[in-house]
Amino acid sequence: MSAVDRVVEPVKAEAVLFDKRDSGVAVLTLNRPERMNAWGGGLAGAFYRCIDRAEADPDVRVIVLTGAGRAFCAGADMGDLDTISGAGVASGGDTDVTQLVGERHPYFITRLHTPVIAAINGACAGIGLTQALMCDIRFAAAGAKFTTAFARRGLIAEYGISWILPRIVGWSAAMDLLLSGRTFYAEEAKELGLVTDVVAPDELLPRALAYAEDMARNCAPSSLSVIKRQLYDDAVRNVHDTSAAAEKLMHESMQRPDFIEGITAFFEKRPPTFPPLQEETS
């Protein structure tokens, strides 16, 4: 794709790059490679602004999140953490971790209408792993390193990772990864079901983009929004309530033009042309 086909704009201090493509995909790149994209106040704020921008744009149907350099996100910025912790000790008060994490917990990604795909290009640790797990689908570069790390830093399973990790890899594997804090690689992550596919580093972004662009081209935004909400909401429901809610949502979906377009395109053997997401699906 040529330079004229997309707009690449840095946000604030270029902590996160925003790349909106004509394909309906927005690529967000964590852009502090000199700090291995460590999570801190500056990066967090830029990330939220880019996510909000993509979520509000009806032309953006899928978000791809990746990192610049050799890391996806190597965890919390230890410089920020040391400063925040030291201030808490000096004042005799509580440590204000919100200064590090930012104004939102990682699970906010699960509440977006827009699907988010993580292209994990390198080191993915601590809160970086939590952020990746809250994305809807994950791809990884061969050899990328993963670790929960919390137990080895005197911390706990933070910000919802104890909820999402067992749902992705199962109870036993989650216990192993959280209690040991050991390092594991992309290849094992695929065996555990933590990532969908592992590819050579130079093929990672093209692989994730091809997947995202196929979704943007062929899936109704209304369906993506509702199905995503169903999956996360139904994780805490029983099957009776899940089925009842699905019946209501099915009736609603059949009233939208997306349904007519999807059926018509199928019978006419052509790609569908779905309209942007409408407010009533929110």
Side-chain angles (χ1 to χ4, degrees), residues 4-87:
V4 297
D5 291 326
R6 69 178 78 119
V7 177
V8 181
E9 299 182 27
V11 176
K12 295 290 183 178
E14 297 188 349
V16 178
L17 299 178
F18 186 99
D19 179 353
K20 177 183 171 182
R21 302 187 172 213
D22 286 349
S23 60
V25 176
V27 180
L28 275 57
T29 306
L30 306 180
N31 191 40
R32 297 179 71 204
E34 74 285 355
R35 302 288 295 174
M36 296 187 72
N37 302 317
W39 194 263
L43 185 142
F47 175 66
Y48 302 142
R49 289 190 294 274
C50 284
I51 285 285
D52 288 347
R53 179 178 174 182
E55 176 78 343
D57 190 335
D59 293 330
V60 173
R61 302 194 172 195
V62 184
I63 298 168
V64 172
L65 175 63
T66 193
R70 59 194 181 94
F72 175 76
C73 175
D77 190 309
M78 298 305 288
D80 287 353
L81 188 61
D82 182 63
T83 299
I84 294 166
S85 179

Side-chain angles (χ1 to χ4, degrees), residues 108-201:
F108 91 93
I109 293 176
T110 70
R111 310 312 295 172
L112 301 177
H113 295 296
T114 311
V116 182
I117 297 171
I120 302 168
N121 55 299
C124 185
I127 194 170
L129 178 56
T130 303
Q131 293 286 355
L133 292 172
M134 295 300 177
C135 294
D136 305 305
I137 298 162
R138 289 157 296 280
F139 295 92
K145 293 182 180 181
F146 296 75
T147 178
T148 62
F150 306 120
R152 300 191 178 209
R153 304 292 180 269
L155 295 170
I156 53 84
E158 65 184 17
Y159 293 108
I161 194 172
S162 58
W163 183 88
I164 192 70
L165 185 59
R167 285 167 167 78
I168 293 173
V169 302
W171 189 266
S172 180
M175 280 287 195
D176 165 33
L177 299 179
L178 284 167
L179 293 179
S180 72
R182 66 180 178 84
T183 297
F184 59 104
Y185 291 83
E187 292 72 19
E188 183 180 356
K190 183 181 179 182
E191 291 177 4
L192 293 172
L194 195 151
V195 300
T196 297
D197 200 4
V198 175
V199 298

